[in-house]
Amino acid sequence: MKKNVLVTVSGIAILGGIAWFGAHHAERVMVDKGIERFKQALGPDVSFTYTRAKPGLLGRSVRFYGLVFRQGPETMTADEAELSKPDTQDSDVTRIHHLSFRNFQLADPAGSLHLATVEMDDLALPTRTEDPAAPTMQSLSIGHVQATGLHGFASALQSDIAADTAVMDNFGANEASHLQARNVSLSTDVAPPRHAHADSIVVDGVALADLYTSLTTGAPYTAHPSSTRDITIDRLSMDGTTPLMRAKRVLSHATHTDATEQEVSSIQELELRPDVPNMGWLPSLGYDHFVGNVVLNDTYTPKTGTLHVETFSIDSANMGRLHINGEFTQAASAPC
């Protein structure tokens, strides 16, 4: 009896081992084919290498180690990367359900970016035709991304940017995005040097993909018709060689249509120092700095070049009050 049990158990173990090896081999084949299709879809200028790849169940996901990805002038590296495909039978290999990186780095002519960790959902990767001169068929699109330990350099601004955490939704051409970041710093050492910091920044309604394109190509960024933009910044500060500005909170809401552009903005507990441009007159009036609150409510009409100011108020406990309203013609630029 014991002998029969041992034979049965041994047989099950052998069959299980064969089944595992077969499934593992099938997963490996599926991954290799998927990677080849992936590179072909992205175009002839793609280089995609890694030190090791570990397939997931049924080839629906794969974890890469020592990843190096190059496409044209862009280079991306990561110590680890995990990719999973959508659960549907979508044959488009450039669509990714979930993508995560550890120690992610990106470099291209527009600048560089380093992230300690990053996770992205619902990606559509850019694709190109066989003809290098042909336009991009599809631009990068990301449904959701969250990252930690962000540090980057923007060539167009000649500035470093850093943040402890960042969360973004709806990154894509002509898409209104949501961005939330904490402990944000922006620094430039190009004369005059400037160093800005904010405890948190929340931006809604700005097409961040279009803004990125504007920064990298030099093309002007324009707000899309019938759009709404909201910005909230907490504990904002800016310094040069001396302190320049402090603000407890900055709030701004703007609505853009074909006919008008409306804006309501406020700055709470604003501090301005004499080294701020156009503020050098403060010491001559006996003030070493300005402290107060600012509110602006206006409507700009591009067709007539008219700016209607409903309220523009500056309230300072030590310096007094200034309230302005009225119509201003030949306004040079839109407020938002």
Side-chain angles (χ1 to χ4, degrees), residues 1-333:
M1 183 67 177
K2 291 183 179 179
K3 183 178 179 180
N4 291 337
V5 171
L6 289 174
V7 170
T8 302
V9 171
S10 299
I12 292 174
I14 291 171
L15 289 174
I18 293 173
W20 177 87
F21 179 81
H24 188 70
H25 177 71
E27 291 168 356
R28 175 66 62 179
V29 171
M30 292 172 67
V31 166
D32 291 342
K33 289 183 177 180
I35 291 173
E36 187 59 34
R37 290 175 58 214
F38 179 71
K39 291 193 290 186
Q40 291 177 359
L42 293 179
D45 61 343
V46 169
S47 171
F48 185 79
T49 61
Y50 48 90
T51 58
R52 184 163 61 97
K54 181 180 178 182
L57 182 64
L58 299 179
R60 300 303 297 177
S61 66
V62 60
R63 182 183 295 271
F64 297 98
Y65 300 88
L67 177 70
V68 179
F69 179 92
R70 294 186 177 91
Q71 185 172 32
E74 299 176 353
T75 299
M76 183 188 75
T77 65
D79 289 353
E80 291 184 22
E82 185 170 11
L83 176 153
S84 63
K85 293 292 293 174
D87 294 332
T88 63
Q89 298 300 315
D90 189 353
S91 61
D92 185 357
V93 297
T94 64
R95 301 196 70 86
I96 299 172
H97 172 64
H98 181 79
L99 181 61
S100 64
F101 295 99
R102 183 175 65 81
N103 193 19
F104 171 92
Q105 297 187 72
L106 171 68
D108 68 12
S112 61
L113 177 66
H114 174 263
L115 300 167
T117 63
V118 57
E119 297 192 19
M120 293 178 276
D121 296 313
D122 301 326
L123 282 79
L125 298 179
T127 57
R128 294 185 177 140
T129 62
E130 293 293 328
D131 180 8
T136 300
M137 296 168 55
Q138 169 185 292
S139 60
L140 175 66
S141 174
I142 306 174
H144 174 79
V145 56
Q146 57 187 46
T148 65
L150 181 151
H151 183 271
F153 177 77
S155 299
L157 302 176
Q158 287 295 294
S159 300
D160 291 288
I161 185 169
D164 284 354
T165 62
V167 177
M168 181 175 62
D169 295 302
N170 304 324
F171 182 90
N174 301 318
E175 285 194 70
S177 305
H178 167 83
L179 173 66
Q180 184 171 344
R182 300 190 65 84
N183 196 19
V184 183
S185 298
L186 179 67
S187 300
T188 176
D189 291 324
V190 178
R194 292 289 184 264
H195 305 282
H197 178 270
D199 282 2
S200 69
I201 297 177
V202 180
V203 179
D204 278 301
V206 176
L208 294 177
D210 296 344
L211 180 61
Y212 174 79
T213 300
S214 175
L215 291 174
T216 55
T217 64
Y221 172 83
T222 56
H224 296 283
S226 302
S227 62
T228 300
R229 182 265 293 156
D230 287 282
I231 298 174
T232 302
I233 305 174
D234 287 321
R235 299 291 180 186
L236 175 65
S237 64
M238 182 177 293
D239 301 307
T241 54
T242 61
L244 297 175
M245 184 267 286
R246 300 285 187 274
K248 181 179 180 181
R249 170 166 280 199
V250 178
L251 299 170
S252 180
H253 173 82
T255 302
H256 179 102
T257 68
D258 288 333
T260 61
E261 298 169 1
Q262 297 177 303
E263 178 182 8
V264 179
S265 299
S266 66
I267 307 176
Q268 301 172 12
E269 298 184 22
L270 173 65
E271 297 183 20
L272 297 175
R273 301 286 172 172
D275 287 341
V276 173
N278 302 319
M279 295 295 291
W281 48 267
L282 281 172
S284 64
L285 298 180
Y287 300 101
D288 59 359
H289 69 291
F290 165 85
V291 180
N293 300 313
V294 179
V295 175
L296 173 65
N297 181 354
D298 62 49
T299 301
Y300 175 71
T301 306
K303 186 175 182 179
T304 61
T306 302
L307 178 66
H308 173 74
V309 177
E310 184 72 24
T311 301
F312 176 59
S313 66
I314 302 174
D315 292 288
S316 173
N318 297 329
M319 298 178 66
R321 292 181 170 184
L322 173 65
H323 287 210
I324 296 175
N325 61 69
E327 297 277 347
F328 300 85
T329 59
Q330 297 181 345
S333 61

